Amino acid sequence: MSSSDNRPIAFLDLAAQQKRIEPVLRQRLEAVLAHCRFVMGPEVGELEERLAAWCGARECVGVSSGTDALQIVMMAEGIGRGDAVFLPAFTYTATAEVPLVLGATPVFVDVDPKTFQIDPSHLRSRIQAVKAAGKLRPKAIVGVDLFGQPAPWPELRAIAAEEGLFLMADCAQSFGAELAGKPLGCEATATTLSFFPSKPLGGYGDGGAILTDDPERAALYRSLRTHGEGTSRYEVLRTGMNGRLDTLQAAVLLAKLESFKDELARRDAVAAQYDAGLAGCVQVPVRVADSRSAWAIYAILLKDAAERDALQTRLKDKSVPSAIYYPLPLHKQPAYRDHHDGAALPVSEDLAQRILALPIHPELTNEDVARVIAAVRG
Ligand SMILES: *Cc1c(COP(=O)(O)O)cnc(C)c1O
């Protein structure tokens, strides 16, 4: 083996990406430095139009993070004390944190053992259980497109309609993905995006957006992101927050959007190379039918925790990074366990023991991917 065979592989390579997109990035940043409209400058509106057009949504509202996007959407629905918000137990903490911040109660739902997405039949039984207990009002469902693949949207829409629940999409990991040939972004009444640097479309700091086809809701989101303002700046109509997207972040995202389609294609090619090289050795990601993933995360499953942890150590020795999303399902987290009603969530608990994410990003070369495959097999 040559010495280059042990050069570290990056889990995420923002420096290499920056080099690749440097001319357009500098042009965009210099435009902001020239006009100095750092809050709600023209790049914010331009980005909102580009994102809405990308997924065919009527409205897009740029906000300060994916978490604030969730909060603004829930505030607009008046979600609060006594409300049950149904969401998967196997997701990032932000999905559960926001209902609690607003005084509502997250009701954790188990996920599908193959796709890791929220399990519609368990969701149905959780809604019935909350109704039977009579303590909380079922209010909303948050579908999460975990790891970049779509949640089961047709089923979630049917359940939300039957039960009269508000349906929202946490698309923080999946902007750029497709379901039935259409970009994700219009599957629910409101869709939230995150531009955290490690997401498929990431900025250079925090940022987020909300997509909707409903102009009245969009107007409410715009008011809420700026302290609940009315038609003039010092008219305060409602309790809001400081939840705006920075102009500089919008400029970075506009620069990155120019190569986003190519990056998605590259992520897809990396995933295909992993699939081919790892099949039969570990469980590779099961694709959601009729969809295209944005490949925020490429997660394999091992036999048990011991095998997973041993593999992670072996990879580290070969300078191959890996990560565990998520080491604990949310109902087991210290912050949330007291809010959990005790329902069994065996799939989420099992996945947390056996899952491992391999590097997936557009800057990986075929040789890098081959090295990761050899290290996993080895
Ligand atoms: C990243 C993420 C968020 C939060 O986004 P931030 O921009 O970091 O606030 C919410 N939900 C999911 C599923 C995420 O992965």
Side-chain angles (χ1 to χ4, degrees), residues 168-287:
M168 54 190 287
D170 181 344
C171 212
Q173 301 180 1
S174 61
F175 183 70
E178 292 178 5
L179 179 60
K182 277 189 5 214
L184 290 187
C186 301
E187 302 296 328
T189 306
T191 295
T192 62
L193 310 182
S194 165
F195 306 126
F196 187 79
S198 63
K199 311 285 179 176
L201 180 64
Y204 287 166
D206 284 306
I210 309 167
L211 299 160
T212 184
D213 280 337
D214 178 353
E216 281 175 27
R217 280 195 168 87
L220 196 46
Y221 302 155
R222 288 197 174 93
S223 169
L224 287 166
R225 81 172 162 186
T226 308
H227 305 290
E229 77 176 11
T231 45
S232 76
R233 186 160 166 199
Y234 292 106
E235 181 189 29
V236 184
L237 293 180
R238 51 185 68 82
T239 307
M241 58 196 281
N242 180 352
R244 293 172 296 241
L245 176 67
D246 281 343
T247 309
L248 278 166
Q249 294 307 334
V252 169
L253 292 162
L254 282 165
K256 287 208 186 181
L257 260 182
E258 296 198 12
S259 50
F260 189 52
K261 269 216 160 80
D262 294 339
E263 292 191 358
L264 288 167
R266 180 61 199 148
R267 283 173 185 269
D268 217 29
V270 171
Q273 194 182 341
Y274 276 144
D275 283 355
L278 295 174
C281 166
V282 296
Q283 190 185 311
V284 299
V286 176
R287 306 292 198 276

Side-chain angles (χ1 to χ4, degrees), residues 64-70 91-95 97 144-147 170-173 192-199 205-208 297 326:
S64 39
S65 70
T67 305
D68 290 342
L70 291 166
T91 177
Y92 183 62
T93 177
T95 322
E97 163 188 42
V144 178
D145 302 312
L146 199 75
F147 298 166
D170 181 344
C171 212
Q173 301 180 1
T192 62
L193 310 182
S194 165
F195 306 126
F196 187 79
S198 63
K199 311 285 179 176
D206 284 306
I297 288 166
Y326 296 94

